Amino acid sequence: MKVLFQHLKKYRFETVLSTIFVAIMVISQLWQPKLLQQVLDAIMDDDMDQISSIGIILIVVAVIGLIAGILNTVISAKVAQGVGADIRESTFRKVQTFSFSNIERFSTGNLVVRQTNDITQVQNLVMMSLQSLTRIPIMFIGSFILAMVTLPELWWVIIVLVVLVVLIVMITFSAMGRHFAKIQHFLDRVNAIAKENLAGMRVVKSFVQEDNEIERFTKTSDKLTHHTIIVGTLFSVMIPAFMLVSNLAVVVSIYFVGDMVKDNPELIGAIASFMNYLMQIMMAIIIGGMMMMFASRAFISLGRIGEVLDTEPDITYDPDAKEEDLAGSVEFRDVSFRYENDDQDALSHISFEAQPGEMVGIVGATGAGKSTMAQLIPRLYDPTDGEILIGGKNLKQLNKKTLRESVALVLQRALLFSGTISDNLRHGKKDASEADMDKTTSIAQAKEFIEKQDKIYEAAVAERGTNFSGGQKQRLSISRGVIGDPKILILDDSTSALDARSEKLVKEALNKELNHTTTFIIAQKISSVIHADKILVLDAGRLVGVGSHKELVQTSEVYREIYETQKGKDVEA
């Protein structure tokens, strides 16, 4: 609840105003049955002047209640939407501070549901609370007292009605409560499966897995449907049960008042007023019960949002660290790293040093730890043991902006954001000019296809860059990586989708234009790193060789095996 109260503080005035309008509306509803009773009494006395004057008051009171109700709804909606937007922004900001480990702990689909469906549940709770939280106690207590005053002889009917309705609410809502958490869980799973399927549609179709994916989705969807139907069934039983109890209360009241009216005809007006108050008592309990039902689901959502907001990022930066201009040297000192929940180290006791301007190749079999090493340099993960230094400074002591401006990482899986080409390039440098774009796209061999676009750098980029080929996306990603002129550039197999000629041109341009930049090239192919100043050979998370190509062919069995497997001699020739 602290998440909700924290964001409601911003809307104190609107909340108070909404509460006042609710109070006015409820007082209007409570006053109307009394006025109606007076009208009926005046009709019995054939007093037309009294009927007219009370009738006008009744209309005025009803109009005031209507206006108060409308204003309350408008203000409640404004507050609910505002609180929802604020929580959504806070959650999104928090997620941006997460490390890869934090995100993997929640999963992408889970975080999406928490920022959409869960926040919608909280919005509904705020809206309903501002409309009903004040209304329920005033309506219940007021109707209860006025019903007792109107026909004190039937006090026991009111008590029985309240007890029965409360019992129905407790039984149905206790049964519903345990299903809401399961509904949110299976909603997460449905979202995750749908997201995976849409993102991997080419794989699904190429392996003819449509039926299997449909079956997997249907199983989870059926479980979600099962729990949703249970909640819906309980809800559909609850409302008729309320109506049955209230109608029985009315019938019982009329039965016992029948004999009383013979002796005292003036009770005709009282019985009408009494019935109205009975209905209002029942409505107060029903609204309260419905609020409890929605609240129980919203509290689960609040808890899930709270988990995100209360999660401390695994990686934090020293707030007192100053921005500085770093040299491009990189040093690993006895670095080990283990992923969360893994039994073995992904990297074990890695030590090496790269000087500014050097080109360093990293090779090894699949799963050797190449990409893990690459992700440690820009501090996407922190090492389990040991330390990493850039420009002679420990990564943990660096200012975040300094680190981000010094290190650029280009991943194998090129990810573009929807927008324009210039928008994507400016991720690497916020104030990049067209001249900067021309230079970097020339280096990445992307300029040739960009200039064919109608709007050149303002050409549209579809979601995930689906309107570009794999090679084009990789070239745009390389352009984005080098546009900020980083001191350290990491290419994680980021030319894998390029043809041999384009890959050669990219590397020649990098050597010529970025000769002051320390470049790490992670590659599966020896030919991609054969001319590197230094090559690191990884095997099962261990550094088993360091040196130039000629040195490693002579000294490293692992490197020589990879080289011979790829017929490296022919490539070199």
Side-chain angles (χ1 to χ4, degrees), residues 212-394:
N212 289 337
E213 289 299 311
I214 290 170
E215 182 181 355
R216 190 162 72 103
F217 182 87
T218 302
K219 283 182 179 178
T220 306
S221 180
D222 285 348
K223 291 176 182 177
L224 174 62
T225 303
H226 171 70
H227 291 288
T228 305
I229 287 174
I230 290 174
V231 171
T233 302
L234 290 169
F235 190 75
S236 65
V237 169
M238 181 182 68
I239 299 301
F242 284 149
M243 298 309 298
L244 176 64
V245 170
S246 61
N247 288 328
L248 285 174
V250 169
V251 170
V252 170
S253 300
I254 292 173
Y255 176 79
F256 283 101
V257 170
D259 292 333
M260 297 164 60
V261 170
K262 292 178 183 177
D263 300 327
N264 190 359
E266 293 179 356
L267 288 177
I268 289 176
I271 187 64
S273 180
F274 182 79
M275 297 304 173
N276 269 299
Y277 288 129
L278 278 184
M279 291 297 104
Q280 289 191 13
I281 290 170
M282 188 197 69
M283 286 306 298
I285 298 173
I286 291 174
I287 294 170
M290 290 177 66
M291 186 174 172
M292 285 172 58
M293 181 187 73
F294 288 114
S296 62
R297 184 170 185 179
F299 287 150
I300 291 170
S301 294
L302 268 174
R304 285 159 54 87
I305 294 167
E307 286 177 8
V308 176
L309 295 175
D310 292 339
T311 297
E312 291 299 324
D314 290 339
I315 295 176
T316 56
Y317 291 85
D318 183 356
D320 299 324
K322 296 179 180 179
E323 292 183 31
E324 52 189 315
D325 187 20
L326 297 175
S329 63
V330 177
E331 184 179 358
F332 274 52
R333 291 182 179 174
D334 198 30
V335 170
S336 296
F337 176 77
R338 179 178 297 186
Y339 288 103
E340 190 174 0
N341 300 323
D342 277 4
D343 297 330
Q344 296 181 339
D345 287 342
L347 293 174
S348 182
H349 303 289
I350 305 291
S351 295
F352 73 88
E353 190 171 353
Q355 298 302 323
E358 277 191 334
M359 178 179 286
V360 180
I362 304 176
V363 298
T366 302
K370 303 185 296 296
S371 293
T372 300
M373 180 185 287
Q375 291 170 1
L376 290 177
I377 297 172
R379 208 183 171 201
L380 300 182
Y381 293 98
D382 271 341
T384 309
D385 294 302
E387 58 180 354
I388 302 172
L389 289 80
I390 290 181
K393 295 287 187 71
N394 191 308

Side-chain angles (χ1 to χ4, degrees), residues 448-499:
E448 57 180 275
F449 72 82
I450 291 175
E451 289 181 337
K452 294 178 183 178
Q453 304 289 324
D454 291 337
K455 298 181 180 179
I456 311 178
Y457 292 114
E458 297 308 311
V461 177
E463 184 180 358
R464 300 194 310 278
T466 52
N467 55 332
F468 292 101
S469 69
Q472 289 173 334
K473 286 192 286 187
Q474 280 196 337
R475 282 181 277 181
L476 285 172
S477 292
I478 294 170
S479 301
R480 181 172 58 194
V482 301
I483 197 168
D485 194 21
K487 298 294 177 63
I488 299 165
L489 176 65
I490 305 165
L491 302 175
D492 186 0
D493 209 10
S494 51
T495 58
S496 59
L498 303 186
D499 59 84

Side-chain angles (χ1 to χ4, degrees), residues 52-63:
S52 299
S53 61
I54 296 174
I56 291 170
I57 295 172
L58 184 60
I59 292 170
V60 171
V61 169
V63 170

Side-chain angles (χ1 to χ4, degrees), residues 127 231 359 410 426 483 504 566:
M127 179 85 175
V231 171
M359 178 179 286
V410 183
R426 288 193 175 106
I483 197 168
K504 180 184 176 185
Q566 296 179 4

